[in-house]
Amino acid sequence: MGKYKPFVLLGPGDAIKEELEFYGWRQEDLAEIMGMSAKHVNQLVKNRAPVTFDTARLLSRVFKQSVQFWINLDTNYRLQLEENALNEETAAKALIFRYMPVLEMHKKGWLNKNDNLIAQVKEFWNIRNLQFDFMKENVPAYFRKSQTKKGFNPYYALTWIQKARIEATKQAEINHYNEEGLYQLADEIPAFTRKGKGITEFIDALNRNGVVFLHLPHLSQTYTDGAVLWLDENPVIVYTARFDRNDNFWFTITHEIAHILLHDDLEHNEFIDSFDLMDVSEKSENEADKFARKHLKSDDIVRFFADSITCSKKKVMKCAEIFGIHPAVVVGCLQHEGKISFRSCNEFKESVRIHLPDPPGSNA
């Protein structure tokens, strides 16, 4: 994708142009001499029409070179064009692979490996020129120092959020965003956690209040759990199900709801959250974390187990009953606070993917 070409590629048209200048002829003069249309001669001069044997024979008679001279000039020009195109395509693909996980996107069905990659990437980003400077510019806006974990790829994370934007625009019949309704819904989260179809019902309630919900699996090297973006006036919550557990679902969703309700006035109000890398020292993340802890009764749960040396399943169930929340949320809170091992009481946790909308991509 270099800016400078190593040499200028000359074709038979350039040689014809020189001969015309030497003789002081116009293209119309050559057309009359050769018995061709002026349009066809113009195509020859522009290297758009190939030099056939008959054309080479006529050119050799007019300009005194051999037939083979014109055939070789055209052949070499066409071969060099193909080689240059191949080199440019290879360089373009190398650039794309540097910024996007192409093979993984093929596997997820986000890109079609049988179609032109360059054209697909331009459409994906809505760009005319294959340049990725815009990604470099967006990295500081989205990612904090905590997200410099070895192996974390911010360009892949930006690719993921772009896919979320694309899928969000495909949503039909979106309700008007109801901020008051979302506040009320957040207060009801503990009750939803205990319902057998609570996740499905909660997603439906989000949609009724004008909040678009997307299930979009994360990309490798991103550690992404969820995100918030805006589709005109409607907020969009994106969930990856990276950890296929109901405690993770409820914390992630509550955290993203906090961003919608508390941070919609920020200059940069799109958030990509990777909780492995979350920096709660940042104001917006600290506020969202406190919001989630409040609505998921985290402080109440920690106080309930403050005097406990061990954590029995019976006590987990009692705590869940008292605070009206699912036992998996209790366990997840205790594990996060270091009160119990991440291996303890996991039988309370349940898979969530079966309750989520199908992700985009036929092979996802």
Side-chain angles (χ1 to χ4, degrees), residues 40-222:
H40 186 69
V41 169
N42 181 258
Q43 293 296 300
L44 286 170
V45 170
K46 292 181 178 179
N47 292 311
R48 294 177 181 172
V51 176
T52 64
F53 178 79
D54 288 339
T55 301
R57 183 166 52 82
L58 292 172
L59 288 169
S60 69
R61 291 180 179 177
V62 174
F63 298 126
K64 309 305 181 183
Q65 297 93 345
S66 68
V67 174
Q68 196 64 45
F69 168 83
W70 291 105
I71 291 177
N72 289 344
L73 190 59
D74 185 76
T75 300
N76 292 336
Y77 174 77
R78 304 295 165 193
L79 288 175
Q80 192 61 55
L81 276 183
E82 291 181 9
E83 184 176 347
N84 288 354
L86 179 60
N87 289 340
E88 290 183 5
E89 182 180 2
T90 301
K93 286 182 178 179
L95 182 66
I96 292 169
F97 271 74
R98 198 171 301 145
Y99 289 96
M100 300 173 66
V102 175
L103 297 183
E104 186 176 0
M105 294 174 76
H106 283 162
K107 185 176 180 180
K108 290 181 181 296
W110 297 6
L111 294 173
N112 189 333
K113 63 181 179 181
N114 296 319
D115 292 341
N116 183 282
L117 176 62
I118 298 171
Q120 288 186 86
V121 169
K122 288 181 178 179
E123 181 180 2
F124 183 88
W125 291 107
N126 192 26
I127 56 177
R128 297 181 62 182
N129 299 315
L130 199 62
Q131 298 175 340
F132 291 92
D133 291 344
F134 66 91
M135 294 184 77
K136 297 176 184 177
E137 294 169 359
N138 281 332
V139 165
Y142 277 95
F143 306 112
R144 299 159 289 280
K145 290 182 179 180
S146 62
Q147 289 172 303
T148 56
K149 177 177 178 179
K150 184 178 180 180
F152 175 74
N153 191 317
Y155 302 122
Y156 289 7
L158 289 175
T159 299
W160 177 83
I161 197 67
Q162 176 65 9
K163 178 62 176 176
R165 290 192 197 97
I166 292 170
E167 294 303 318
T169 60
K170 297 178 182 178
Q171 303 300 307
E173 299 181 5
I174 301 175
N175 293 323
H176 178 74
Y177 171 49
N178 182 358
E179 183 180 49
E180 183 179 345
L182 185 59
Y183 268 109
Q184 182 177 345
L185 192 58
D187 291 336
E188 298 171 0
I189 286 176
F192 277 97
T193 69
R194 295 176 64 86
K195 294 183 178 181
K197 296 182 179 180
I199 291 176
T200 302
E201 293 178 9
F202 191 80
I203 292 172
D204 290 341
L206 284 173
N207 291 330
R208 286 196 300 272
N209 284 282
V211 180
V212 177
F213 178 88
L214 293 177
H215 171 207
L216 187 68
H218 72 292
L219 292 171
S220 61
Q221 301 180 49
T222 64

